[in-house]
């Protein structure tokens, strides 16, 4: 998804670019290129939201000793490799985080980012940020994410689900999901049990295209699940992941 802001019109335009089923990131980049060509779009600035299908995530615990910037990058890559294996060929970045709290690390393929930049550069378009879908949602609704509450973004064929504790994120997992309401609710309930929590789950879920409620509202499903709807999402400041991915 590309977020384009026009100077002539003070509004934001959401442009969704979907690759063909089964296609890798090349399909998404080619789809963006065709859309730009078809609409004769050149120059300007954009923000890009990337599907979790092309992103890897990991939770990075706070180190026991102070790390320099380069050491912090190695620490984040180490935890990504612990989850996903060899990360050669991937751009890794981590949110700034707060002292003593676990941080979210993300990674995207180097070749994907390079192809994306080349597609934009040929049209004199610059990217303000390149945000993973989960990070974009987190930025937009971070004020609602309180201790004891789950936050998840469901898109493509997966759900990125994290649980917030008193000292920041306590869990972060990418789960296979078809996207239907019942399955998403069941996954949240399972994570709730696995976390050793009791009572009704308290969760915020963003599942575009799955839930139908009025624009810009939060719909309570009555079972502890609050279905979020986009309301100028993407206007919040991006995390370090977005800046690093756009600048490198």
């Amino acid at each position: 998804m590309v977020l384009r802001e026009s100077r002539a019109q003070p509004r934001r335009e959401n442009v969704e670019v979907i690759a063909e089923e089964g296609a890798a990131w090349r399909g998404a980049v080619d789809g963006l290129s065709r859309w730009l060509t078809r609409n004769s779009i050149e120059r300007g600035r954009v923000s890009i939201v990337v599907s979790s299908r092309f992103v890897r995530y990991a939770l990075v615990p706070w180190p026991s000793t102070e790390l320099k910037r380069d050491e912090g990058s190695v620490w984040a890559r180490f935890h990504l490799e612990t989850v996903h294996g060899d990360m050669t060929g991937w751009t890794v970045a981590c949110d700034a985080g707060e002292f003593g709290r676990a941080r979210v690390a993300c990674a995207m393929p180097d070749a994907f980012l390079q192809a994306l930049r080349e597609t934009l550069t040929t049209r004199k378009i610059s990217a303000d940020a390149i945000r993973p879908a989960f990070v974009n949602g987190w930025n937009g609704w971070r004020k609602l994410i309180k201790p004891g509450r789950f936050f998840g973004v469901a898109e493509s064929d997966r759900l990125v689900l994290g649980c917030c504790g008193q000292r920041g994120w306590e869990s972060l997992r990418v789960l296979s999901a078809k996207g239907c309401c019942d399955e998403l609710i069941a996954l949240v309930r399972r994570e709730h049990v696995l976390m050793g929590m009791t009572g009704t789950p308290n969760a915020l879920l963003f599942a575009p295209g799955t839930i139908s409620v009025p624009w810009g509202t939060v719909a309570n499903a009555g079972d502890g699940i609050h279905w979020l709807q986009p309301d100028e999402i993407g206007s919040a400041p991006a995390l370090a992941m977005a800046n690093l991915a756009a600048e490198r």
Side-chain angles (χ1 to χ4, degrees), residues 18-107:
I18 304 176
E20 295 180 1
E21 185 64 27
W25 57 260
R26 171 55 67 180
V29 174
D30 290 344
L32 173 61
S33 180
R34 288 192 297 270
W35 181 85
L36 292 171
T37 300
R38 186 168 60 250
N39 291 276
S40 301
I41 295 177
E42 293 186 354
R43 304 183 183 278
R45 305 186 69 85
V46 298
S47 293
I48 299 176
V49 179
V50 179
S51 167
S52 291
R53 179 174 295 186
F54 311 133
V55 182
R56 291 179 179 177
Y57 299 93
L59 204 58
V60 180
W62 190 263
S64 56
T65 59
E66 184 177 355
L67 300 178
K68 298 178 181 179
R69 181 172 180 177
D70 290 346
E71 293 173 333
S73 298
V74 173
W75 180 246
R77 182 175 288 271
F78 167 77
H79 285 281
L80 277 161
E81 290 182 338
T82 299
V83 177
H84 302 286
D86 184 20
M87 294 297 297
T88 300
W90 290 72
T91 294
V92 175
C94 200
D95 76 283
E98 297 181 29
F99 183 85
R101 297 189 174 190
R103 300 182 295 162
V104 173
C106 308

Side-chain angles (χ1 to χ4, degrees), residues 132-172:
F134 177 78
V135 172
N136 191 62
W138 173 13
N139 274 302
W141 289 299
R142 61 171 59 238
K143 292 182 179 179
L144 299 179
I145 305 174
K146 306 297 183 182
R149 171 170 274 184
F150 288 91
F151 174 72
V153 176
E155 43 87 30
S156 298
D157 54 357
R158 62 208 65 200
L159 168 67
V160 183
L161 183 65
C163 182
C164 184
Q166 292 294 337
R167 297 185 62 80
W169 294 104
E170 293 185 345
S171 70
L172 180 66

Side-chain angles (χ1 to χ4, degrees), residues 151-214:
F151 174 72
V153 176
E155 43 87 30
S156 298
D157 54 357
R158 62 208 65 200
L159 168 67
V160 183
L161 183 65
C163 182
C164 184
Q166 292 294 337
R167 297 185 62 80
W169 294 104
E170 293 185 345
S171 70
L172 180 66
R173 294 223 297 159
V174 180
L175 307 169
S176 176
K178 296 178 181 178
C180 67
C181 299
D182 291 343
E183 182 180 12
L184 294 177
I185 292 172
L187 288 173
V188 171
R189 288 175 175 170
R190 187 182 71 178
E191 290 298 303
H192 184 261
V193 172
L194 291 175
M195 292 290 294
M197 304 169 75
T198 59
T200 302
N202 186 348
L204 297 168
L205 289 185
F206 180 48
T210 301
I211 309 302
S212 178
V213 295

